[in-house]
Structure formats: C-alpha cells, structure tokens
Amino acid sequence: MADLSSIALSGLRASQSSLATTSHNIVNVDTEGYSRQTTGLGTRPAQFSGGSFFGQGVDVNSIARVSNQYVVDQVRRDTSTFNSADAFYDYAVRIDQMLGGDATAITPSLQKFFDSMEGLTNDPSSIASRQALLSSGQALVARFNNVYDQVSQANATLNTELTQITAKINQLSENIASYNKSIQSLSTNNIGEMPNDLLDERDEAVRQLAELVGGEIIQQDDTTISVFVANGQPLVVGGDYFEMQTSEPLSGISRQEITLGKGNNVDNITDLVSGGRLGGLLSVREELIDPVFNEMGRIAMVMSDTFNAQHELGMDLNNELGGEFFSDINGANAGFSRIAPSAMNAGNVSISVTIDDTSLLTVDNYNLRYDAGTGNYTLYNADNSVNASFANPGAGGSFTTADGFTINFGAGVPADGDEFGVLPTRTGAANMGMELNDVRQIAAALPVTTDLPSTNIGTGYVENVVVTDTGAASDFAATPYALTPPYRIEFTSATSYDVINAGTNVAVVSGVAFTPGQSNGLLEQAGLYPASGYDVIYSGSPATNDVVNIRYNNGGVSDNRNALNLSALSDVKTVANGNSTYQSAYAHLVSGVGTRTNDAAVTQEASSTILSQAQTQWESISGVNLDEEAANLMRFQQSYQASARVMQVSSELFDTILGSL
C-alpha cells in the first residue's frame, strides 16, 4: 500500500525544487547569456499490491536549461558578422567625412590654387596676384599634410584598438579554457546533470569572443569546446589556450600585425583573420586607410613633380630661370621614408627609394626580400606575385623598376631572408612642402622671346614658343640674361631659311626647308632641337629677307606664357599613367571611399537586422519571461501547499488510528 506521508514528502520536495528553479530564473532575468531552466519531474515506480499498482509519488529527475544549439551558434555567427561590419562602418564614416568635408578636403584648396594661378595669368606683374598664388600654394600643402595627419591619427587609433582587442581575446580565451576544465571535471565526477550555469557562462564568453573575432566552435566528446580562428588556427583547445598578440614587424609605417601561438611557435595570422571587430578593423586598414595613404601620396608627388617641372621652364621677375615651386619629391629624407625594414632583419644594409617617373607610380606597396643562396633580391607586388628579381648591386648600386621608382643600396650587407617594405607613395602627402617663398621668384614668363623687325614684308608670324629644357645640356646660359647662342632666322626665300648665330653673325645651319601655311619648328627643322631646350613655332608665308630674332626674355615682367602653361596643368592627365588629372584622381579617391562607406552602411544595417532576429529567436527559446515565471511561481506554490495539506491529512489519519487502539 502506498505511503501517504512519503508521497506528500516527495511532492513537497518536487514543488520546492520547482520553486527554487523558478526563483533562479526570475533573479537572473537580466543576467547576460542566462538560459532559463526547468525542473524535470518523473513519477516514482509504482508499488504492486492487491492486484493493483499504487503510485509512490514524484522524483526530481533533472534541472535542465532550455537551449537550442543551432540558435546559439546562429547568434554567435551573426554577432561576429555585425561587429565586423560595424567596425568597418565606424572608420569608413570618419575617413569619408575627412576626405569629403569642406574643412578638410583637398578639392577646395586645389581649386583655389588654380583660381589664383588663373589670376596671375591675367596680371603676371601684379605682386598681389603673386602673393595670392603663393598663399594658396601654402594652403594646399597644409591641406595635403593635414589629410595625412588625419589618416595617421585614424591609423594610430586603429592600432591601439587592435592591441586592446587582442588583450580582451586573450582574457576570454583563458576564461573559456577555464570553463572547459571545470565542466569536464564535474561531468567526469558522475554528478549527474551538466552544470547549467557554467554552460551558460561558457556560451556567453564564446559570444563575447565572437564580438571580437570570427571563428569556428567545435563541441568535443569530453564536454569541452575547441575554438579555431583564422582558417583553422587553434585559439582554445580543451583547458589550454593560445595567446594572440600585436606586433610591428615593419619599422616606420605604424602597422600592427596579429600573431597567434605560444613561446617561439608563433604565426602571423593577419591576412587570415576575419569576422568580429578585429576582422573589421583589419579590413578597413586594407581597403581604406592604406589606399588613402598611397593615393593621397601619389597625387601630392605627381602635382609637386609636374608643377615643378613646368615652373623650372619659366622665368621670374628677377629675369632668372624658375626654380622649384614645391619641395623636391626626392629630397634628403624622402627616399628613406619609402623603405620599412623588417624588425627581424639580421643584416645592416641601408636602402632608399627615389622616384623617377611619377606618371608610372601605382598605389601599391611592395615587398623586397634577399636570398643569400642566389645573391638575388626579389621584389614582390602587393598580391605576392614577383615584380622583378635582380642580383645584389652592392653598396652604391641601384635597381630601376618598371613602376616609376629606383631602389638604391647604400652601405652595409644584407643577410639571408632580410625583408623590406617598399612604399613609394605612402608618405608623399606628408613630405609635400613649399620650396618657393618669394613672390618675385614665381616664374610666370618664358625665358625665350622673339621679335619680328618692321622691315618684314611677309605674313609669317610666331605661333608659339616651346621650352622643354633649361638644364645644363640646353642652350641656356649658366647665368641668366642670355642664350648661348642667341639665334636670328633669316629667310632666303619663301621656302627656306638660315639659322644665324646672332652674337657672331655666323650661319649655324643654312638652307633649311620651310613649308608656308603650316606650323614649322624653326630649330627642330634645323636639327638644333631638342638639344637647344626650346623651339620657335613659325607659321604663315614669310618673304625673302624676313627675319625672326630669338633672344633671352630679359625684362619680360608682363609675360604670362609660362603662367598659362602652369594653369593648364589642372586639365592635363598626369596621374596614373596619364589616366587622371589632379582633381579627377582625388575625386576618384573620394568617390571610392564614399561608395565603400555607403556599402558599409547597408551591410551594417542588414547585419544588425539579422542579428536582432537571431537574438529574438534565442529569447523566445531560452530567455526568461517574467509573466510566465510569475504564473509558475503561483502554480508551484499551490502545489507545495497541496502537498503540505496531504502531509497534514496523513498525520491526522495516523493520529486517528493511534486513538482507536
């Protein structure tokens, strides 16, 4: 026969356990990652008596957490995706606003500079116009420098965040390994049910890890989990974890790399990391920060180089040949700023980079590696394909690439495996500066002028003067105010002319053919150009004995011909192998960053929505519903009271039996 008091006692215990579980749910409603728990009850084996089975009460079989592993994994994956997109969008917005904002963008200063250049063409002798050009040039340089500084600050912030994130990853990895040990220990001690709260804490640690880095979670048979990141690199295995660190393997460019491992067994996993905020930060560096550094540097160097080249072909108010307007792109320290030696190099060779042709420059970084076995250096492109391989040229030697730059080798000797980052354009915007500081030195004029005597009777006229070289190899004197020699063109007929040395009145070239009615390069057709460094383009129909005098432009203060050439540079495609102007190259950069920012905004919003849906699904399964728990609390309280009443009835029946004896 069933023991009424024993049944009542089992009911009291079951109700008490259910009340405790419900209470535990209620107080943990705000605990991050907590999964609600339920009390699993089971009927005790019945007792057979008198041909019937009598129930013996209830047992508490389990305290189980309500969890769906598929949903848990989905939340983790969506968390990783969202945080990666959010990190990218966060930095993309900053860079987009920096490049496109009126207060920081290059475009307004570039436009103002060429507006000032146009003002100078209208009045080349005006000191005010010259001062406006000089001031706008200084403002343009300051804007390039400022953009570089802004990108550098974003890069420094990113580096700091990378270090902070890896520290957090290490702490979470240690926690997960510790949870693995505890859970495995409890499960192997045959305590029965799994430790629900520890499982929740481990899952929450894994979710927090997913916020920082993407990875794969594998459930092991021994109740532990293993965490793998970067395409299979182990982060946590059982009770052991591997340390993630940041380092700067290439000196001088402030670029943190990610390593993973223990002791001396450490791998660089930077290119393999994806997902989480760490993956997003590495993506924004590769897709935005580095390209902006390089493109801004290329534009700055192309502009400095091409503007200087044209300015040096002109003549200033002091009747002197033009000098550099902007600072030399191959200045004293610029070459060394384009090389980043590896911190692991054992050799001591000194290397620098000089720019040969700015139109050929790409926006890529390169890697140079030395192989002592072959004695060769190999230059690798950004995608790790071979750009060039060449024998070690030794101290004082150099190697000229097909990409517009030369690698120069100084003192010292390389060691096997030495590596160098080659960064031709990265610091171009930082190195840009003003060389000219005197308004009178602005070379608005051309150093060559012509005049036609009033005795000429033909209809010939000077169409243009082209100056291409004022260096030592040309006919320009080492000191100003003269050409060596000055020339006089004497037409011996309508279709021929002689070139006379005006200083000695001796013919330099005689009987040069002339074609009336079309453009004729007088010195080129005489075989004197390009060695002369300039040419006079003559057209029309000259008459016999007509003369063209060619001399140095001494006193050409109102001459704007070189100013016109300088102003025209704004429309010349000098960037990216002749595919872009200064303005269009910058516009393309801004447009590209803007497109990536818009894409990032869409991706961030979409991933946020997906994550919210996954979290809602998890809440519907594992979350604590206070209304439901309150109802359960009342139900289990009533159950407890009913079992207590059964206990009371049992006691009264027992007393009645004793009283009847």
Side-chain angles (χ1 to χ4, degrees):
M1 191 68 177
D3 184 347
L4 193 59
S5 62
S6 177
I7 293 174
L9 183 59
S10 71
L12 285 173
R13 289 173 177 168
S15 298
Q16 187 178 34
S17 297
S18 297
L19 282 169
T21 302
T22 300
S23 300
H24 188 57
N25 289 339
I26 291 172
V27 297
N28 282 286
V29 65
D30 294 321
T31 300
E32 198 71 34
Y34 176 79
S35 301
R36 68 185 177 91
Q37 299 177 11
T38 59
T39 305
L41 303 179
T43 303
R44 286 180 174 178
Q47 179 181 1
F48 183 77
S49 177
S52 299
F53 289 93
F54 291 90
Q56 299 297 302
V58 63
D59 278 330
V60 178
N61 291 336
S62 66
I63 305 296
R65 65 179 187 140
V66 180
S67 179
N68 184 310
Q69 192 60 45
Y70 172 81
V71 175
V72 170
D73 291 342
Q74 189 63 50
V75 169
R76 174 180 53 78
R77 287 191 294 268
D78 293 343
T79 296
S80 178
T81 301
F82 168 73
N83 280 273
S84 179
D86 189 56
F88 192 100
Y89 177 69
D90 182 24
Y91 278 83
V93 168
R94 299 186 211 177
I95 296 172
D96 184 47
Q97 292 175 344
M98 177 188 63
L99 294 179
D102 290 340
T104 53
I106 297 295
T107 301
S109 294
L110 195 58
Q111 184 62 50
K112 186 175 181 180
F113 177 75
F114 280 103
D115 287 345
S116 300
M117 192 71 250
E118 187 174 345
L120 182 63
T121 64
N122 296 329
D123 191 0
S125 62
S126 169
I127 297 300
S129 296
R130 288 170 172 266
Q131 183 59 58
L133 177 63
L134 186 62
S135 297
S136 61
Q138 293 167 341
L140 178 62
V141 166
R143 189 60 64 90
F144 269 102
N145 296 160
N146 181 63
V147 170
Y148 179 87
D149 290 341
Q150 293 284 336
V151 180
S152 294
Q153 290 175 14
N155 186 62
T157 301
L158 185 144
N159 283 336
T160 299
E161 193 168 357
L162 288 178
T163 301
Q164 293 172 343
I165 288 175
T166 54
K168 292 178 182 177
I169 289 175
N170 290 334
Q171 183 60 59
L172 288 169
S173 299
E174 183 179 9
N175 291 345
I176 294 170
S178 178
Y179 289 136
N180 275 342
K181 289 179 180 178
S182 299
I183 293 170
Q184 183 183 33
S185 175
L186 292 173
S187 64
T188 55
N189 287 336
N190 297 319
I191 63 170
E193 287 298 310
M194 296 289 290
N196 296 325
D197 294 333
L198 281 178
L199 293 175
D200 280 343
E201 289 172 10
R202 186 175 68 180
D203 280 354
E204 175 60 17
V206 171
R207 190 198 65 79
Q208 291 178 11
L209 183 65
E211 292 179 350
L212 304 178
V213 65
E216 182 180 4
I217 310 300
I218 296 180
Q219 182 73 50
Q220 304 295 344
D221 293 338
D222 60 359
T223 71
T224 66
I225 61 172
S226 295
V227 182
F228 298 91
V229 297
N231 290 345
Q233 298 290 326
L235 183 64
V236 179
V237 177
D240 199 8
Y241 74 97
F242 298 86
E243 190 171 9
M244 189 177 289
Q245 292 183 332
T246 57
S247 63
E248 192 170 313
L250 294 177
S251 61
I253 63 172
S254 185
R255 180 187 173 91
Q256 297 284 359
E257 301 283 287
I258 310 300
T259 62
L260 180 65
K262 276 192 175 182
N264 295 326
N265 188 19
V266 175
D267 295 320
N268 187 326
I269 61 170
T270 306
D271 295 337
L272 302 175
V273 172
S274 62
R277 190 162 183 86
L278 185 63
L281 293 178
L282 294 175
S283 294
V284 81
R285 184 174 70 184
E286 293 296 325
E287 299 177 28
L288 288 181
I289 290 181
D290 284 354
V292 168
F293 268 134
N294 293 346
E295 185 61 274
M296 286 298 303
R298 180 169 69 170
I299 295 172
M301 287 198 294
V302 170
M303 183 169 187
S304 296
D305 184 47
T306 53
F307 200 88
N308 281 350
Q310 185 61 54
H311 190 262
E312 290 171 348
L313 299 178
M315 188 190 74
D316 64 20
L317 287 182
N318 299 321
N319 299 317
E320 295 180 352
L321 296 175
E324 291 182 330
F325 189 91
F326 297 109
S327 57
D328 185 0
I329 62 172
N330 289 316
N333 297 318
F336 293 102
S337 71
R338 299 170 186 143
I339 285 288
S342 170
M344 303 300 293
N345 285 357
N348 61 352
V349 64
S350 173
I351 300 179
S352 65
V353 169
T354 52
I355 306 301
D356 305 317
D357 187 344
T358 54
S359 69
L360 297 179
L361 292 174
T362 71
V363 291
D364 292 336
N365 295 328
Y366 305 80
N367 186 51
L368 183 67
R369 190 176 305 149
Y370 180 68
D371 182 355
T374 62
N376 290 342
Y377 282 98
T378 301
L379 184 67
Y380 295 91
N381 295 314
D383 61 1
N384 212 35
S385 62
V386 175
N387 180 287
S389 183
F390 54 94
N392 180 10
S398 64
F399 175 78
T400 299
T401 72
D403 294 339
F405 63 91
T406 293
I407 304 173
N408 308 296
F409 297 85
V413 178
D416 185 48
D418 280 0
E419 293 190 17
F420 305 84
V422 181
L423 321 165
T425 64
R426 185 180 180 92
T427 58
N431 293 333
M432 189 179 187
M434 284 290 294
E435 190 70 25
L436 189 147
N437 54 22
D438 183 348
V439 295
R440 294 188 61 84
Q441 293 177 334
I442 297 175
L446 284 180
V448 178
T449 189
T450 62
D451 67 75
L452 307 180
S454 59
T455 55
N456 285 2
I457 61 174
T459 60
Y461 63 93
V462 175
E463 184 178 301
N464 192 18
V465 174
V466 178
V467 180
T468 56
D469 184 10
T470 56
S474 73
D475 281 347
F476 288 88
T479 57
Y481 312 120
L483 294 179
T484 54
Y487 292 119
R488 183 173 67 249
I489 307 298
E490 296 181 353
F491 284 91
T492 55
S493 71
T495 58
S496 65
Y497 62 90
D498 296 339
V499 180
I500 309 298
N501 182 330
T504 62
N505 287 321
V506 175
V508 177
V509 183
S510 301
V512 182
F514 182 88
T515 305
Q518 73 177 38
S519 300
N520 292 258
L522 296 180
L523 299 188
E524 181 180 19
Q525 291 172 192
L528 301 175
Y529 177 82
S532 60
Y534 68 94
D535 199 4
V536 175
I537 312 301
Y538 199 75
S539 189
S541 299
T544 302
N545 295 325
D546 279 0
V547 171
V548 180
N549 292 312
I550 305 172
R551 59 180 175 80
Y552 191 84
N553 189 18
N554 189 8
V557 295
S558 297
D559 185 352
N560 70 347
R561 289 175 296 165
N562 199 47
L564 288 170
N565 292 335
L566 289 168
S567 182
L569 287 174
S570 65
D571 297 321
V572 179
K573 294 181 177 181
T574 53
V575 186
N577 205 15
N579 290 315
S580 302
T581 64
Y582 311 139
Q583 290 93 331
S584 64
Y586 184 76
H588 181 72
L589 172 63
V590 174
S591 175
V593 172
T595 299
R596 293 294 293 115
T597 302
N598 289 334
D599 290 345
V602 172
T603 302
Q604 188 235 30
E605 183 176 359
S607 59
S608 175
T609 300
I610 293 173
L611 174 59
S612 179
Q613 292 172 346
Q615 289 173 331
T616 299
Q617 186 178 13
W618 182 89
E619 285 287 346
S620 68
I621 296 173
S622 301
V624 175
N625 185 317
L626 287 178
D627 291 337
E628 180 181 346
E629 297 302 328
N632 286 338
L633 195 64
M634 294 179 61
R635 181 162 63 92
F636 296 140
Q637 180 184 12
Q638 292 172 354
S639 175
Y640 185 89
Q641 291 172 343
S643 295
R645 178 58 181 157
V646 172
M647 180 72 75
Q648 182 181 356
V649 169
S650 174
S651 178
E652 290 173 354
L653 290 175
F654 185 71
D655 290 343
T656 300
I657 293 173
L658 289 178
S660 64
L661 295 177

